[in-house]
Amino acid sequence: MPNYDPQHDDAVLTESQQKLQKPPLYKVLLHNDNYTTMEFVVYVLTQVFLHTETDAIRIMLQVHNQGVGVAGVYTHEIAETKVARVSSLAREHEYPLLCTLEEE
């Protein structure tokens, strides 16, 4: 019978505990301007960001009164997609609505 040497045992795999980091999150911001209507901002918040009408009105008023409001917080790819969608909708409706993202 051969001698058993645990250091040379190829049949046993050790499991490495690799901890995955959460991806960084980004805030999607809507900026106030003098031309985009409040109704359109509410429309964007309900259609693109899927907020309830009550939440959309609250965020729209924050944009109106403070100059900027957070529409949502997402991973980078989703945030970029939301910004592109808002920009596209604003152009289609001929509004200068500015939508940006920043790391949280």
Side-chain angles (χ1 to χ4, degrees):
M1 179 179 225
N3 291 335
Y4 174 70
D5 185 2
Q7 291 180 340
H8 292 55
D9 190 357
D10 293 332
V12 176
L13 294 176
T14 58
E15 218 177 284
S16 66
Q17 292 290 338
Q18 188 176 19
K19 213 170 194 182
L20 297 178
Q21 292 181 338
K22 290 184 179 180
L25 297 178
Y26 292 81
K27 295 186 282 189
V28 178
L29 305 172
L30 295 177
H31 300 267
N32 190 36
D33 62 67
N34 293 328
Y35 301 102
T36 305
T37 64
M38 293 179 179
E39 293 80 10
F40 182 73
V41 174
V42 171
Y43 171 78
V44 165
L45 288 165
T46 57
Q47 298 302 306
V48 176
F49 298 96
L50 306 177
H51 287 291
T52 64
E53 187 148 352
T54 304
D55 286 341
I57 291 170
R58 180 184 50 76
I59 296 167
M60 175 272 299
L61 288 172
Q62 183 181 27
V63 171
H64 179 71
N65 293 325
Q66 297 177 5
V68 68
V70 178
V73 179
Y74 307 95
T75 60
H76 190 262
E77 293 79 16
I78 294 172
E80 279 186 329
T81 302
K82 299 278 187 186
V83 168
R85 181 69 182 130
V86 170
S87 299
S88 175
L89 274 174
R91 275 194 310 273
E92 285 176 29
H93 291 87
E94 299 180 353
Y95 288 117
L97 180 62
L98 177 62
C99 184
T100 61
L101 61 94
E102 72 177 32
E103 193 167 355
E104 188 171 48

